[in-house]
Amino acid sequence: SSLNPRIFNVLQKSLVFGQLSRDQIEKVLCFCQIRKFSAEEILSEKGVNASEFYIILKGKIRYISFSNDGSIKNSFIKSKI
């Protein structure tokens, strides 16, 4: 199998995919692609329908919510799984 062991291990440890069998995870991986993002790149915005699902393999992601006046209401950083 051409299964990437690193990605398989991340999925297997995740809350969302951890209960799936190896075959099921392989099916999920058929739809996956590795992408790199630059610092400060926006991946998603509130109120916009999502068309993608992200699994962080390396690095950190910052979640930010804003008040009505545009100031930062909440912000936290999440490391990879």
Side-chain angles (χ1 to χ4, degrees):
S1 168
S2 61
L3 182 65
N4 182 317
R6 179 174 170 232
I7 297 172
F8 177 81
N9 289 335
V10 169
L11 290 180
Q12 194 174 42
K13 292 176 185 176
S14 75
L15 292 174
V16 175
F17 301 106
Q19 300 301 313
L20 299 180
S21 70
R22 181 180 180 86
D23 288 342
Q24 291 170 319
I25 291 176
E26 286 181 1
K27 288 178 183 176
V28 169
L29 288 173
C30 289
F31 298 97
C32 293
Q33 59 180 292
I34 295 178
R35 295 175 54 192
K36 293 183 179 184
F37 296 95
S38 60
E40 306 302 321
E41 188 167 350
I42 297 172
L43 304 183
S44 179
E45 294 184 50
K46 184 177 180 178
V48 177
N49 289 333
S51 62
E52 298 176 312
F53 183 87
Y54 300 97
I55 300 169
I56 309 303
L57 297 174
K58 181 179 178 183
K60 299 176 183 176
I61 189 163
R62 178 180 292 173
Y63 299 89
I64 302 172
S65 63
F66 295 93
S67 298
N68 290 337
D69 65 4
S71 62
I72 293 177
K73 182 177 175 181
N74 293 307
S75 175
F76 65 93
I77 296 175
K78 174 70 177 158
S79 298
K80 68 181 180 95
I81 299 172

